[in-house]
Amino acid sequence: MNDAMDEYDVIVLGAGPVGENLADRTRAAGLSTVIVESELVGGECAYWACIPSKALLRPVLARAEARRVPGVRKSVGGPLDTAEVFAHRDDYVSHWNDDGQVAWLGSAGIDFVRGHGRLVEPRRVAVAGPNGSDGDERFLTARHAVAICTGSRAALPDLPGLTEARPWTSREATSSSTVPGRLIVVGGGVVAAEMATAWNALGSRVTMLVRGSGLLDRIEPFAGELVAETLAEAGVELRTGTSVTAIARRGGAVTVTLDTGEELEADEALFATGRAPRTDDVGLETVGLTPGRWLRVDDTCRVEDVPGGWLYAAGDVNHRALLTHQGKYQARIAGAVIGARARGVPLLETDRWGAHAATADKAAVPQVIFTDPEVAAVGLTADQAKAAGRTIRVVDYDMGRVSGAALYADGYRGRARMVVDLNRGHLIGVTFVGPGVGELLHSATVAVAGEVPLERLWHAVPSFPTVSEVWLRLLEAYRG
């Protein structure tokens, strides 16, 4: 669909879920909108992150849970059918074909230009054709706004031999259809923990190399401890306080050198060592910004330090919350803001929790980590709350003592924590760890985002016997 006109109200760079949502909101506001994408429409989440990783993990977690249920455990004792798992994953990513997503753009009235877009001056974007040749270049002009929604990429450390070794990043880890006999996972965050869970269950002998003292260091400490326990029981070798200093590929094998001088060999090595913004080649230098850096934005997602207030950035590129659902939230806010400013609305609702302020990025970010056990958290951890100067009370509860959890699985292991702001009388953070807890999270998100008084939560009665009865147990413990 490269027959689009040259002038639009809004130009969106990046057609991942963030760019798609922002374009949908500006189009719904009556603004002509074009979206520019050089890769697959649908972005990282649809093809190399959220969707394929969860497609790989679902059978892993379902089998783990079934093995803890009397009457079922004996029938699920064998290995996973890896061919079926991969086929299921491939179906969910549409075999890396974006025809359906492109068709959706058209149905929403959003024009699409396939190619690499970069700013050349304020409100003006040059688009090189899919092959990157200047001969295919065309120019688009925005009457109101340009939104950068180009996301992030895997950040790799500067190690000797890295380029030649061709290590896995999250893309290879979620798209491979070959199970490596031995897999080294470098990192201790979400991607590392989830992919160690998946590939160990699919048949790899996994070694995790973690620079810090444990896993998932941005969540409550007990979360990483419980996940590490289960990974160890499943046969994963976990080494903490360990750094990689070099990597080499010799023949078909990969060798990593540790800071102790020890060498480890594997068939593949996955580096899950963080993310970097895709802003190195979008023309930031033409508007006074530094290429390759995260974009600083205000709560309306408008980029700061750009005269005229026409440039926006939503999703990973602004580094507020690197999660797909949070980027889509920002996109909905930014789309509404762009529409309101285009209509000349004199006063935007930019107060806390207002229609034009991305407040949840600071106060109520939810996240589910699909490990065994699952981890679900929203808001601040206890340490974060203390660092912010909040006067808090922390309430913990053993989820295995909840009747619904005991029925859910034999030997249910899990823990719940709520962090209460004592001055305001409402929750500012909740963490659940245990099988199936991801489905508990939205109730916690509503409580945190809604700043629901604990006295009112006492009247929100959980059904018996469900795992959600943990809410009652937490409140009982709080009330004494």
Side-chain angles (χ1 to χ4, degrees):
M1 293 172 59
N2 286 346
D3 56 348
M5 61 184 179
D6 292 324
E7 189 173 35
Y8 291 86
D9 292 322
V10 181
I11 300 171
V12 180
L13 301 184
V18 177
E20 288 177 317
N21 272 262
L22 195 150
D24 187 43
R25 290 297 85 211
T26 56
R27 189 68 193 92
L31 302 179
S32 61
T33 302
V34 62
I35 195 164
V36 180
E37 176 59 64
S38 61
E39 291 192 302
L40 295 175
V41 175
E44 199 79 11
C45 175
Y47 302 103
W48 299 287
C50 319
I51 299 301
S53 65
K54 279 36 177 197
L56 290 175
L57 283 159
R58 179 61 194 139
V60 172
L61 300 180
R63 182 182 67 167
E65 291 183 6
R67 285 176 169 175
R68 300 178 185 123
V69 178
V72 178
R73 58 170 60 100
K74 290 182 180 179
S75 62
V76 290
L80 293 171
D81 184 333
T82 56
E84 190 172 8
V85 172
F86 293 146
H88 172 70
R89 185 255 338 256
D90 294 352
D91 285 343
Y92 264 86
V93 298
S94 302
H95 299 269
W96 291 274
N97 181 292
D98 66 355
D99 288 350
Q101 298 270 26
V102 172
W104 176 83
L105 290 176
S107 71
I110 302 164
D111 281 347
F112 170 52
V113 177
R114 179 90 69 183
H116 178 72
R118 62 189 316 276
L119 294 164
V120 290
E121 59 184 80
R123 292 190 177 88
R124 192 158 171 80
V125 171
V127 184
N131 58 10
S133 63
D134 292 338
D136 294 333
E137 195 170 57
R138 61 178 297 180
F139 295 89
L140 305 172
T141 301
R143 285 183 283 266
H144 293 294
V146 176
I148 298 177
C149 305
T150 48
S152 64
R153 62 166 61 87
L156 291 171
D158 184 14
L159 291 178
L162 188 75
T163 302
E164 297 76 17
R166 305 181 308 280
W168 276 11
T169 67
S170 53
R171 283 199 170 193
E172 290 77 20
T174 57
S175 63
S176 176
S177 292
T178 302
V179 179
R182 301 162 299 170
L183 175 65
I184 290 172
V185 177
V186 182
V190 175
V191 172
E194 288 190 344
M195 290 299 93
T197 299
W199 288 101
N200 177 72
L202 289 166
S204 295
R205 191 163 71 252
V206 176
T207 301
M208 295 188 75
L209 305 176
V210 183
R211 187 169 54 185
S213 59
L215 303 181
L216 308 175
D217 61 3
R218 296 183 182 180
I219 312 291
E220 296 285 9
F222 60 82
E225 291 165 6
L226 285 167
V227 171
E229 257 181 55
T230 307
L231 283 171
E233 290 169 1
V236 173
E237 182 183 357
L238 177 61
R239 299 192 184 191
T240 57
T242 302
S243 294
V244 175
T245 58
I247 181 172
R249 188 175 287 272
R250 298 163 186 158
V254 174
T255 301
V256 300
T257 304
L258 308 184
D259 50 358
T260 60
E262 182 183 359
E263 291 187 344
L264 299 178
E265 187 179 87
D267 299 286
E268 297 292 350
L270 162 63
F271 278 76
T273 49
R275 306 291 295 177
R278 291 180 178 271
T279 60
D280 51 322
D281 190 22
V282 294
L284 295 184
E285 69 281 2
T286 67
V287 294
L289 300 175
T290 304
R293 291 193 179 176
W294 305 103
L295 294 172
R296 189 172 61 185
V297 299
D298 62 19
D299 285 347
T300 70
C301 294
R302 187 159 62 175
V303 177
E304 297 179 350
D305 305 320
V306 175
W310 55 273
L311 186 62
Y312 292 77
D316 283 10
V317 288
N318 64 33
H319 207 236
R320 287 168 68 103
L322 275 68
L323 295 160
T324 295
H325 47 273
Q326 214 64 26
K328 290 162 69 174
Y329 161 73
Q330 293 171 15
R332 295 191 292 271
I333 299 289
V337 167
I338 292 168
R341 285 178 173 149
R343 294 194 307 273
V345 173
L347 186 64
L348 299 187
E349 297 177 39
T350 56
D351 54 309
R352 180 176 163 85
W353 302 115
H356 302 120
T359 310
D361 290 342
K362 300 174 182 175
V365 175
Q367 181 175 18
V368 178
I369 303 170
F370 293 83
T371 46
D372 181 17
E374 281 184 355
V375 178
V378 63
L380 302 178
T381 66
D383 286 345
Q384 289 165 348
K386 290 174 186 174
R390 310 290 279 266
T391 302
I392 64 169
R393 181 176 166 193
V394 175
V395 181
D396 289 330
Y397 196 81
D398 178 357
M399 293 192 63
R401 294 170 58 196
V402 176
S403 296
L407 289 166
Y408 191 93
D410 271 4
Y412 189 107
R413 283 188 296 182
R415 187 169 167 188
R417 167 172 289 182
M418 65 181 193
V419 181
V420 182
D421 185 315
L422 292 175
N423 292 330
R424 302 194 65 182
H426 64 75
L427 299 177
I428 55 175
V430 181
T431 300
F432 299 115
V433 181
V437 297
E439 298 305 327
L440 291 177
L441 186 60
H442 196 59
S443 57
T445 303
V446 170
V448 172
E451 299 181 350
V452 181
L454 264 68
E455 290 81 358
R456 179 58 60 87
L457 279 181
W458 183 248
H459 296 280
V461 182
S463 297
F464 179 85
T466 65
V467 182
S468 63
E469 202 180 18
V470 68
W471 278 109
L472 175 59
R473 303 302 170 220
L474 287 166
L475 292 169
E476 285 176 334
Y478 178 77
R479 291 163 67 97

